Amino acid sequence: MSLNEMGKNAKAAARTLAVAGEKKNDALKAIAKALTDNADKIIAANKIDIENGIKNNLTSALLDRLKLDEKRIKGIADGVLEVAALPDPVGTVISGSTRPNGLKITKVRVPIGVIGIIYEARPNVTADAAVLCLKSGNAVILRGGKEAINSNKCIADIMRNAIESTGLDKNSVQLIEDTSRQSSVELMCLTEYLDVLIPRGGKGLIRAVVENAKVPVIETGAGNCHVYVDESADIDMAANIIYNAKTSRPSVCNAIETILVHENIAEKALPVIKARLDEKNVELRGCEKTRAILGDCVVPAIESDWETEYGDYILAVKVVPSFEDAVAHITKYSSGHSECIVTSDYKKAQRFKDEIDAAAVYVNASTRFTDGGMFGLGAEIGISTQKLHARGPMGLNELTSMKFIIEGDGQIR
């Protein structure tokens, strides 16, 4: 099927979804059950992707993103039910007023319409994105990476059948099965049907979409995140936060890629931090001062290390002479995702919150919390690093637009 045909189908489905009401929750519950009931089928398809990934020398971190098992599938299904339980944003009154001439003006939430999602080797996104779009009344066209194509096709087919079983249009969710570059380019140019395109993936994918898309884009995901260990920091706390923020899942966008350590605490803090990171064999790439403290086990850092989103067990380390230098470094290299300070100094914490320009700014907590579920927003479509329309975890409200309803009794201007 051509993308134009998919676009027409999505546009038609979006019109019915906009007024589907409780039927959307029926579809979500059917999807959750179908995913669980067909777990063996999904795992079999995923096994093919994993085998291909190993043959193509995917990193361990990418293979981890790609892998599905019963536990992860149950987690996806549970997430679908959580979305079903969330309040429906469609029709929510944002504000209202009555004008002096008697006109009643109300601003309400409405679906965006047709959303395109372009993403890489994460088959869970196929389900996550689809159910969030469905709940918010949007039709979605999904375009995943070739690494996960078998998993994506299986999940999409299961969801489409489940949606159809509840009386809604199965074309509410569509998957582009062509994983060539051409299909990406066509999706980016589908201006007649696509209302917005959301890329989820690494820096290269996001840049390509932002630079080439003709449809509006919500920029998400690139995560060059930092932890700054201030001179007043509790060293054990800093080590625990860094260990969690780097190693709990290094392939995700809220994992840290660089730590900055104040020179007044570096000689005491760096050995403790390294001892924790050694538990997961994290490779350190450090400045000269870092290497002077920790020795030749630290790889000499080069300029590109400060701007790289590794997505792996690699961490850049820099000793800085002051708070101001730490802020300057973060300002220069941050992707605007999540930034953290570990400090016991209230004034430094306040300054960090005020001076750091990022979607999420942390004081004494791991950046791994930048997540819709962790923020109490339910599931999310991604982490927006831009400033227009949405910023930070994008939940249901961020997948809606708005319109004004004006009610009168014959007023003319």
Side-chain angles (χ1 to χ4, degrees):
M1 184 184 296
S2 72
L3 255 66
N4 273 332
E5 290 176 296
M6 294 179 76
K8 289 178 184 177
N9 291 340
K11 207 77 170 176
R15 286 194 292 271
T16 62
L17 279 178
V19 293
E22 191 61 28
K23 283 186 178 180
K24 295 182 295 185
N25 285 337
D26 294 339
L28 293 176
K29 292 171 186 175
I31 287 172
K33 184 176 187 303
L35 289 172
T36 303
D37 290 347
N38 291 279
D40 290 346
K41 188 184 294 185
I42 297 170
I43 291 168
N46 182 249
K47 185 178 179 182
I48 298 171
D49 291 329
I50 293 291
E51 289 172 352
N52 290 336
I54 293 170
K55 289 176 186 176
N56 292 319
N57 299 315
L58 290 186
T59 66
S60 58
L62 283 177
L63 288 172
D64 176 62
R65 282 190 179 192
L66 183 58
K67 185 179 179 181
L68 293 175
D69 53 26
E70 283 193 16
K71 183 179 179 181
R72 287 189 177 180
I73 293 169
K74 184 181 184 302
I76 293 170
D78 288 345
V80 176
L81 294 176
E82 288 173 6
V83 172
L86 292 171
D88 189 343
V90 177
T92 301
V93 175
I94 300 170
S95 63
S97 64
T98 301
R99 302 298 298 150
N101 63 0
L103 284 178
K104 295 179 180 179
I105 300 176
T106 309
K107 183 160 63 171
V108 299
R109 291 196 181 279
V110 295
I112 290 174
V114 179
I115 297 176
I117 313 286
I118 184 167
Y119 53 104
E120 296 175 316
R122 295 184 65 179
N124 64 296
V125 174
T126 303
D128 294 345
V131 300
L132 282 164
C133 289
L134 185 64
K135 175 76 176 191
S136 53
N138 300 289
V140 64
I141 299 176
L142 303 162
R143 199 283 187 186
K146 63 182 179 181
E147 299 86 358
I149 185 58
N150 294 289
S151 307
N152 291 341
K153 285 167 64 176
C154 185
I155 292 170
D157 286 344
I158 289 167
M159 290 193 297
R160 282 164 58 82
N161 290 334
I163 291 167
E164 191 172 40
S165 74
T166 64
L168 289 180
D169 190 339
K170 68 179 180 181
N171 289 321
S172 301
V173 175
Q174 296 178 87
L175 174 74
I176 299 171
E177 296 186 5
D178 176 7
T179 58
S180 68
R181 184 177 181 276
Q182 182 59 31
S183 69
S184 292
V185 173
E186 287 183 30
L187 185 63
M188 293 180 209
C189 299
L190 205 62
T191 53
E192 187 175 354
Y193 302 109
L194 213 59
D195 292 295
V196 69
L197 181 60
I198 303 174
R200 287 193 61 175
K203 190 175 182 180
L205 170 68
I206 294 167
R207 184 188 297 117
V209 172
V210 170
E211 292 177 356
N212 296 297
K214 293 183 179 179
V215 298
V217 173
I218 297 178
E219 190 173 345
T220 70
N224 189 14
C225 307
H226 303 72
V227 169
Y228 165 55
V229 182
D230 187 44
E231 60 184 320
S232 66
D234 179 301
I235 292 174
D236 288 334
M237 178 193 289
N240 287 335
I241 287 172
I242 289 166
Y243 177 80
N244 177 262
K246 177 77 259 186
T247 70
S248 63
R249 202 167 178 195
S251 62
V252 294
C253 60
N254 57 23
I256 61 168
E257 308 296 357
T258 299
I259 60 171
L260 306 169
V261 183
H262 195 289
E263 64 181 9
N264 290 348
I265 201 174
E267 288 191 12
K268 291 183 178 179
L270 283 175
V272 177
I273 292 167
K274 181 181 181 298
R276 288 303 313 276
L277 295 172
D278 282 348
E279 295 174 24
K280 291 293 182 75
N281 297 314
V282 176
E283 176 186 314
L284 300 183
R285 299 182 182 180
C287 66
E288 290 183 9
K289 290 183 179 179
T290 300
R291 298 186 76 235
I293 295 169
L294 296 179
D296 293 339
C297 60
V298 178
V299 177
I302 58 176
E303 176 63 22
S304 62
D305 286 315
W306 310 125
E307 57 192 20
T308 298
E309 183 181 10
Y310 300 109
D312 205 345
Y313 290 99
I314 303 171
L315 188 62
V317 187
K318 186 176 185 180
V319 175
V320 293
S322 68
F323 171 90
E324 290 75 16
D325 285 286
V327 170
H329 182 101
I330 293 171
T331 300
K332 181 175 181 179
Y333 296 105
S334 172
S335 60
H337 192 296
S338 301
E339 305 296 349
C340 169
I341 184 173
V342 183
T343 185
S344 298
D345 187 324
Y346 175 80
K347 289 183 178 179
K348 292 279 183 65
Q350 294 304 116
R351 284 187 61 191
F352 193 84
K353 289 188 289 184
D354 291 341
E355 296 178 28
I356 294 298
D357 186 14
V361 179
Y362 290 82
V363 176
N364 298 332
S366 170
T367 59
R368 287 283 284 112
F369 286 104
T370 307
D371 174 274
M374 293 292 99
F375 282 10
L377 305 175
E380 40 132 90
I381 204 81
I383 310 294
S384 172
T385 53
Q386 65 177 33
K387 298 183 182 181
L388 296 178
H389 172 64
R391 195 180 195 194
M394 292 179 59
L396 294 173
N397 285 343
E398 287 72 32
L399 293 177
T400 61
S401 183
M402 60 197 72
K403 69 179 175 184
F404 287 90
I405 306 296
I406 302 94
E407 298 173 274
D409 53 9
Q411 289 90 335
I412 60 174
R413 180 176 178 180

